[in-house]
């Protein structure tokens, strides 16, 4: 999961202008929702969570919403940390979800 978090944040950082544009020119937040759903699928796949486990699905949804919120704050310069520090924070949040 740590490797995936690093890849995701590095990709967003490399394409920062595009992500900022998509986040702010998107009616109804559909892009952020799609990012959250993609992240959720990846986490659930890695943790072998099935669609029938609603409690775990809720935990994943909550954590992934927070991750996307952090990424939006970071893209908007409201979270003054480096891409590496954001990657570490995201990985920590995802790993701690199962601690």
């Amino acid at each position: 999961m740590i490797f995936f978090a690093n890849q995701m944040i590095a990709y967003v950082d490399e394409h920062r202008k595009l992500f900022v544009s998509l986040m702010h020119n998107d009616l109804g937040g559909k892009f952020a929702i799609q990012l959250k759903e993609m992240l959720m699928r990846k986490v659930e796949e890695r943790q072998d969570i099935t669609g029938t486990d609603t409690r775990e699905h809720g935990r994943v949804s909550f954590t992934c919403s927070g991750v996307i919120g952090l990424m939006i704050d970071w893209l908007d310069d409201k979270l003054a940390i480096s891409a590496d520090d954001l990657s570490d924070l995201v990985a920590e949040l995802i790993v701690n979800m199962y601690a």
Side-chain angles (χ1 to χ4, degrees):
M1 220 8 68
I2 294 170
F3 180 69
F4 174 72
N6 290 338
Q7 282 184 315
M8 180 180 70
I9 298 303
Y11 185 84
V12 170
D13 192 32
E14 184 178 335
H15 300 90
R16 187 180 193 98
K17 288 181 182 179
L18 174 64
F19 276 84
V20 168
S21 178
L22 288 170
M23 291 289 188
H24 292 292
N25 296 321
D26 176 38
L27 298 176
K30 291 179 185 175
F31 182 70
I33 290 168
Q34 288 176 336
L35 280 177
K36 176 190 159 203
E37 290 172 355
M38 179 200 69
L39 182 58
M40 286 180 64
R41 280 191 304 274
K42 195 70 163 177
V43 170
E44 288 177 340
E45 175 185 297
R46 294 273 174 109
Q47 297 298 327
D48 199 28
I49 298 170
T50 65
T52 59
D53 194 342
T54 56
R55 186 175 190 88
E56 285 302 312
H57 182 77
R59 289 174 69 176
V60 172
S61 178
F62 179 80
T63 302
C64 290
S65 292
V67 167
I68 298 303
L70 282 172
M71 194 166 32
I72 290 169
D73 284 351
W74 177 69
L75 288 168
D76 287 341
D77 295 321
K78 294 177 184 173
L79 186 62
I81 62 176
S82 69
D84 288 339
D85 287 343
L86 180 61
S87 294
D88 291 344
L89 180 56
V90 167
E92 181 182 321
L93 289 171
I94 292 172
V95 168
N96 284 343
M97 180 173 46
Y98 292 99

